[in-house]
PDB file of all heavy atoms in Angstrom:
ATOM      1  N   PHE A 194      -6.559  68.554 -47.151  1.00 97.00           N
ATOM      2  CA  PHE A 194      -5.802  69.853 -47.094  1.00 97.00           C
ATOM      3  C   PHE A 194      -4.567  69.757 -47.872  1.00 97.00           C
ATOM      4  O   PHE A 194      -3.892  68.779 -47.892  1.00 97.00           O
ATOM      5  CB  PHE A 194      -5.518  70.196 -45.607  1.00 97.00           C
ATOM      6  CG  PHE A 194      -6.755  70.306 -44.790  1.00 97.00           C
ATOM      7  CD1 PHE A 194      -7.253  69.247 -44.004  1.00 97.00           C
ATOM      8  CD2 PHE A 194      -7.418  71.580 -44.706  1.00 97.00           C
ATOM      9  CE1 PHE A 194      -8.366  69.360 -43.279  1.00 97.00           C
ATOM     10  CE2 PHE A 194      -8.509  71.696 -43.919  1.00 97.00           C
ATOM     11  CZ  PHE A 194      -9.072  70.643 -43.204  1.00 97.00           C
ATOM     12  N   VAL A 195      -4.245  70.886 -48.558  1.00 97.00           N
ATOM     13  CA  VAL A 195      -3.003  71.004 -49.339  1.00 97.00           C
ATOM     14  C   VAL A 195      -2.259  72.233 -48.977  1.00 97.00           C
ATOM     15  O   VAL A 195      -2.892  73.269 -48.710  1.00 97.00           O
ATOM     16  CB  VAL A 195      -3.402  71.013 -50.879  1.00 97.00           C
ATOM     17  CG1 VAL A 195      -2.236  71.378 -51.742  1.00 97.00           C
ATOM     18  CG2 VAL A 195      -3.966  69.670 -51.312  1.00 97.00           C
ATOM     19  N   TYR A 196      -0.945  72.129 -48.978  1.00 97.00           N
ATOM     20  CA  TYR A 196      -0.070  73.266 -48.717  1.00 97.00           C
ATOM     21  C   TYR A 196       0.751  73.537 -50.018  1.00 97.00           C
ATOM     22  O   TYR A 196       1.127  72.564 -50.676  1.00 97.00           O
ATOM     23  CB  TYR A 196       0.852  73.037 -47.532  1.00 97.00           C
ATOM     24  CG  TYR A 196       2.021  73.987 -47.453  1.00 97.00           C
ATOM     25  CD1 TYR A 196       1.759  75.231 -46.837  1.00 97.00           C
ATOM     26  CD2 TYR A 196       3.266  73.741 -47.908  1.00 97.00           C
ATOM     27  CE1 TYR A 196       2.860  76.164 -46.743  1.00 97.00           C
ATOM     28  CE2 TYR A 196       4.327  74.621 -47.869  1.00 97.00           C
ATOM     29  CZ  TYR A 196       4.092  75.828 -47.270  1.00 97.00           C
ATOM     30  OH  TYR A 196       5.093  76.743 -47.176  1.00 97.00           O
ATOM     31  N   GLY A 197       1.009  74.791 -50.244  1.00 97.00           N
ATOM     32  CA  GLY A 197       1.866  75.125 -51.406  1.00 97.00           C
ATOM     33  C   GLY A 197       2.377  76.531 -51.365  1.00 97.00           C
ATOM     34  O   GLY A 197       1.998  77.304 -50.463  1.00 97.00           O
ATOM     35  N   PHE A 274      -2.721  77.668 -47.912  1.00 97.00           N
ATOM     36  CA  PHE A 274      -3.322  76.440 -47.523  1.00 97.00           C
ATOM     37  C   PHE A 274      -4.694  76.335 -48.266  1.00 97.00           C
ATOM     38  O   PHE A 274      -5.388  77.289 -48.438  1.00 97.00           O
ATOM     39  CB  PHE A 274      -3.545  76.394 -45.998  1.00 97.00           C
ATOM     40  CG  PHE A 274      -2.306  76.450 -45.224  1.00 97.00           C
ATOM     41  CD1 PHE A 274      -1.806  77.585 -44.799  1.00 97.00           C
ATOM     42  CD2 PHE A 274      -1.606  75.238 -44.873  1.00 97.00           C
ATOM     43  CE1 PHE A 274      -0.584  77.702 -44.028  1.00 97.00           C
ATOM     44  CE2 PHE A 274      -0.457  75.313 -44.096  1.00 97.00           C
ATOM     45  CZ  PHE A 274       0.043  76.524 -43.670  1.00 97.00           C
ATOM     46  N   ASP A 300       6.145  73.192 -54.409  1.00 95.00           N
ATOM     47  CA  ASP A 300       6.064  72.380 -53.123  1.00 95.00           C
ATOM     48  C   ASP A 300       4.618  72.014 -52.792  1.00 95.00           C
ATOM     49  O   ASP A 300       4.247  71.960 -51.621  1.00 95.00           O
ATOM     50  CB  ASP A 300       6.729  73.163 -52.013  1.00 95.00           C
ATOM     51  CG  ASP A 300       7.010  72.319 -50.791  1.00 95.00           C
ATOM     52  OD1 ASP A 300       7.138  71.086 -50.978  1.00 95.00           O
ATOM     53  OD2 ASP A 300       7.004  72.854 -49.677  1.00 95.00           O
ATOM     54  N   ARG A 302       1.719  69.862 -51.741  1.00 96.00           N
ATOM     55  CA  ARG A 302       1.663  68.547 -51.087  1.00 96.00           C
ATOM     56  C   ARG A 302       0.473  68.550 -50.093  1.00 96.00           C
ATOM     57  O   ARG A 302       0.053  69.568 -49.554  1.00 96.00           O
ATOM     58  CB  ARG A 302       2.918  68.254 -50.247  1.00 96.00           C
ATOM     59  CG  ARG A 302       3.371  69.442 -49.343  1.00 96.00           C
ATOM     60  CD  ARG A 302       4.668  69.148 -48.671  1.00 96.00           C
ATOM     61  NE  ARG A 302       5.328  70.241 -48.097  1.00 96.00           N
ATOM     62  CZ  ARG A 302       5.107  70.644 -46.872  1.00 96.00           C
ATOM     63  NH1 ARG A 302       4.301  70.004 -46.067  1.00 96.00           N
ATOM     64  NH2 ARG A 302       5.744  71.716 -46.380  1.00 96.00           N
ATOM     65  N   GLN A 303      -0.007  67.299 -49.932  1.00 96.00           N
ATOM     66  CA  GLN A 303      -1.095  67.114 -48.931  1.00 96.00           C
ATOM     67  C   GLN A 303      -0.563  67.190 -47.526  1.00 96.00           C
ATOM     68  O   GLN A 303       0.553  66.739 -47.238  1.00 96.00           O
ATOM     69  CB  GLN A 303      -1.806  65.758 -49.208  1.00 96.00           C
ATOM     70  CG  GLN A 303      -2.668  65.725 -50.400  1.00 96.00           C
ATOM     71  CD  GLN A 303      -3.432  64.481 -50.550  1.00 96.00           C
ATOM     72  OE1 GLN A 303      -3.802  64.070 -51.708  1.00 96.00           O
ATOM     73  NE2 GLN A 303      -3.749  63.725 -49.506  1.00 96.00           N
ATOM     74  N   ILE A 304      -1.316  67.753 -46.599  1.00 96.00           N
ATOM     75  CA  ILE A 304      -1.019  67.822 -45.240  1.00 96.00           C
ATOM     76  C   ILE A 304      -2.212  67.329 -44.402  1.00 96.00           C
ATOM     77  O   ILE A 304      -3.309  67.177 -44.955  1.00 96.00           O
ATOM     78  CB  ILE A 304      -0.615  69.270 -44.775  1.00 96.00           C
ATOM     79  CG1 ILE A 304      -1.778  70.201 -45.079  1.00 96.00           C
ATOM     80  CG2 ILE A 304       0.698  69.700 -45.419  1.00 96.00           C
ATOM     81  CD1 ILE A 304      -1.522  71.694 -44.612  1.00 96.00           C
ATOM     82  N   GLU A 305      -1.982  67.013 -43.154  1.00 93.00           N
ATOM     83  CA  GLU A 305      -3.013  66.450 -42.296  1.00 93.00           C
ATOM     84  C   GLU A 305      -4.119  67.443 -42.062  1.00 93.00           C
ATOM     85  O   GLU A 305      -5.345  67.093 -42.108  1.00 93.00           O
ATOM     86  CB  GLU A 305      -2.451  65.972 -40.999  1.00 93.00           C
ATOM     87  CG  GLU A 305      -1.434  64.786 -41.159  1.00 93.00           C
ATOM     88  CD  GLU A 305      -0.843  64.357 -39.919  1.00 93.00           C
ATOM     89  OE1 GLU A 305      -1.169  64.933 -38.865  1.00 93.00           O
ATOM     90  OE2 GLU A 305      -0.004  63.399 -39.950  1.00 93.00           O
ATOM     91  N   THR A 306      -3.801  68.671 -41.801  1.00 92.00           N
ATOM     92  CA  THR A 306      -4.739  69.719 -41.504  1.00 92.00           C
ATOM     93  C   THR A 306      -4.123  71.079 -41.661  1.00 92.00           C
ATOM     94  O   THR A 306      -2.870  71.160 -41.756  1.00 92.00           O
ATOM     95  CB  THR A 306      -5.360  69.596 -40.079  1.00 92.00           C
ATOM     96  OG1 THR A 306      -6.432  70.581 -39.973  1.00 92.00           O
ATOM     97  CG2 THR A 306      -4.336  69.840 -39.063  1.00 92.00           C
ATOM     98  N   GLN A 307      -4.892  72.116 -41.748  1.00 91.00           N
ATOM     99  CA  GLN A 307      -4.295  73.437 -41.879  1.00 91.00           C
ATOM    100  C   GLN A 307      -4.348  74.142 -40.486  1.00 91.00           C
ATOM    101  O   GLN A 307      -5.135  73.746 -39.645  1.00 91.00           O
ATOM    102  CB  GLN A 307      -5.085  74.257 -42.921  1.00 91.00           C
ATOM    103  CG  GLN A 307      -6.542  74.561 -42.526  1.00 91.00           C
ATOM    104  CD  GLN A 307      -7.238  75.369 -43.687  1.00 91.00           C
ATOM    105  OE1 GLN A 307      -6.642  75.689 -44.684  1.00 91.00           O
ATOM    106  NE2 GLN A 307      -8.489  75.675 -43.438  1.00 91.00           N
ATOM    107  N   PRO A 308      -3.445  75.094 -40.247  1.00 90.00           N
ATOM    108  CA  PRO A 308      -3.415  75.759 -38.950  1.00 90.00           C
ATOM    109  C   PRO A 308      -4.750  76.448 -38.646  1.00 90.00           C
ATOM    110  O   PRO A 308      -5.412  77.042 -39.501  1.00 90.00           O
ATOM    111  CB  PRO A 308      -2.319  76.845 -39.181  1.00 90.00           C
ATOM    112  CG  PRO A 308      -1.485  76.307 -40.276  1.00 90.00           C
ATOM    113  CD  PRO A 308      -2.439  75.609 -41.154  1.00 90.00           C
ATOM    114  N   LYS A 309      -5.120  76.377 -37.386  1.00 87.00           N
ATOM    115  CA  LYS A 309      -6.361  77.015 -36.993  1.00 87.00           C
ATOM    116  C   LYS A 309      -6.215  78.503 -36.688  1.00 87.00           C
ATOM    117  O   LYS A 309      -7.122  79.267 -36.912  1.00 87.00           O
ATOM    118  CB  LYS A 309      -6.882  76.339 -35.664  1.00 87.00           C
ATOM    119  CG  LYS A 309      -7.353  74.942 -35.926  1.00 87.00           C
ATOM    120  CD  LYS A 309      -7.851  74.279 -34.620  1.00 87.00           C
ATOM    121  CE  LYS A 309      -8.297  72.856 -34.789  1.00 87.00           C
ATOM    122  NZ  LYS A 309      -8.788  72.200 -33.570  1.00 87.00           N
ATOM    123  N   VAL A 312      -0.973  82.415 -39.257  1.00 91.00           N
ATOM    124  CA  VAL A 312       0.398  81.970 -39.375  1.00 91.00           C
ATOM    125  C   VAL A 312       1.328  83.208 -39.437  1.00 91.00           C
ATOM    126  O   VAL A 312       1.189  84.041 -40.314  1.00 91.00           O
ATOM    127  CB  VAL A 312       0.536  81.158 -40.660  1.00 91.00           C
ATOM    128  CG1 VAL A 312       2.033  80.702 -40.811  1.00 91.00           C
ATOM    129  CG2 VAL A 312      -0.358  79.878 -40.605  1.00 91.00           C
ATOM    130  N   VAL A 416       7.706  81.828 -43.660  1.00 91.00           N
ATOM    131  CA  VAL A 416       6.755  81.451 -42.592  1.00 91.00           C
ATOM    132  C   VAL A 416       7.588  81.107 -41.369  1.00 91.00           C
ATOM    133  O   VAL A 416       8.608  80.465 -41.391  1.00 91.00           O
ATOM    134  CB  VAL A 416       5.975  80.226 -43.039  1.00 91.00           C
ATOM    135  CG1 VAL A 416       5.101  79.684 -41.929  1.00 91.00           C
ATOM    136  CG2 VAL A 416       5.095  80.564 -44.236  1.00 91.00           C
ATOM    137  N   CYS A 418       6.775  79.292 -38.808  1.00 73.00           N
ATOM    138  CA  CYS A 418       6.375  77.979 -38.127  1.00 73.00           C
ATOM    139  C   CYS A 418       6.437  76.902 -39.079  1.00 73.00           C
ATOM    140  O   CYS A 418       6.487  77.147 -40.358  1.00 73.00           O
ATOM    141  CB  CYS A 418       4.983  78.120 -37.549  1.00 73.00           C
ATOM    142  SG  CYS A 418       3.615  78.294 -38.661  1.00 73.00           S
ATOM    143  N   ASN A 419       6.438  75.632 -38.678  1.00 68.00           N
ATOM    144  CA  ASN A 419       6.465  74.514 -39.553  1.00 68.00           C
ATOM    145  C   ASN A 419       5.129  74.134 -40.114  1.00 68.00           C
ATOM    146  O   ASN A 419       4.101  74.428 -39.521  1.00 68.00           O
ATOM    147  CB  ASN A 419       7.032  73.267 -38.804  1.00 68.00           C
ATOM    148  CG  ASN A 419       8.464  73.432 -38.351  1.00 68.00           C
ATOM    149  OD1 ASN A 419       9.208  74.054 -39.091  1.00 68.00           O
ATOM    150  ND2 ASN A 419       8.813  72.850 -37.269  1.00 68.00           N
ATOM    151  N   THR A 420       5.134  73.697 -41.354  1.00 61.00           N
ATOM    152  CA  THR A 420       3.894  73.133 -41.971  1.00 61.00           C
ATOM    153  C   THR A 420       3.947  71.601 -41.848  1.00 61.00           C
ATOM    154  O   THR A 420       4.942  71.018 -42.120  1.00 61.00           O
ATOM    155  CB  THR A 420       3.751  73.535 -43.438  1.00 61.00           C
ATOM    156  OG1 THR A 420       4.868  73.117 -44.121  1.00 61.00           O
ATOM    157  CG2 THR A 420       3.611  75.078 -43.536  1.00 61.00           C
ATOM    158  N   ASN A 421       2.758  71.046 -41.348  1.00 55.00           N
ATOM    159  CA  ASN A 421       2.810  69.590 -41.142  1.00 55.00           C
ATOM    160  C   ASN A 421       2.620  68.838 -42.425  1.00 55.00           C
ATOM    161  O   ASN A 421       1.946  69.212 -43.320  1.00 55.00           O
ATOM    162  CB  ASN A 421       1.748  69.210 -40.120  1.00 55.00           C
ATOM    163  CG  ASN A 421       0.342  69.607 -40.651  1.00 55.00           C
ATOM    164  OD1 ASN A 421       0.207  70.570 -41.265  1.00 55.00           O
ATOM    165  ND2 ASN A 421      -0.645  68.813 -40.265  1.00 55.00           N
ATOM    166  N   LYS A 422       3.301  67.713 -42.565  1.00 49.00           N
ATOM    167  CA  LYS A 422       3.321  66.938 -43.776  1.00 49.00           C
ATOM    168  C   LYS A 422       2.840  65.510 -43.474  1.00 49.00           C
ATOM    169  O   LYS A 422       3.036  64.970 -42.427  1.00 49.00           O
ATOM    170  CB  LYS A 422       4.783  66.851 -44.289  1.00 49.00           C
ATOM    171  CG  LYS A 422       4.944  66.081 -45.662  1.00 49.00           C
ATOM    172  CD  LYS A 422       6.420  66.005 -46.006  1.00 49.00           C
ATOM    173  CE  LYS A 422       7.066  67.254 -46.282  1.00 49.00           C
ATOM    174  NZ  LYS A 422       8.467  67.066 -46.836  1.00 49.00           N
ATOM    175  N   ASN A 423       2.101  64.907 -44.428  1.00 50.00           N
ATOM    176  CA  ASN A 423       1.657  63.535 -44.293  1.00 50.00           C
ATOM    177  C   ASN A 423       2.794  62.576 -44.330  1.00 50.00           C
ATOM    178  O   ASN A 423       3.760  62.823 -45.043  1.00 50.00           O
ATOM    179  CB  ASN A 423       0.642  63.196 -45.385  1.00 50.00           C
ATOM    180  CG  ASN A 423      -0.778  63.691 -45.073  1.00 50.00           C
ATOM    181  OD1 ASN A 423      -1.005  64.084 -43.953  1.00 50.00           O
ATOM    182  ND2 ASN A 423      -1.661  63.566 -46.046  1.00 50.00           N
TER     183      ASN A 423
END
Side-chain angles (χ1 to χ4, degrees):
F194 298 94
V195 169
Y196 167 82
F274 297 90
D300 195 26
R302 51 185 164 88
Q303 286 185 208
I304 56 176
E305 293 177 1
T306 186
Q307 64 182 1
K309 293 181 180 179
V312 176
V416 174
C418 65
N419 293 327
T420 56
N421 58 327
K422 186 185 295 185
N423 276 351

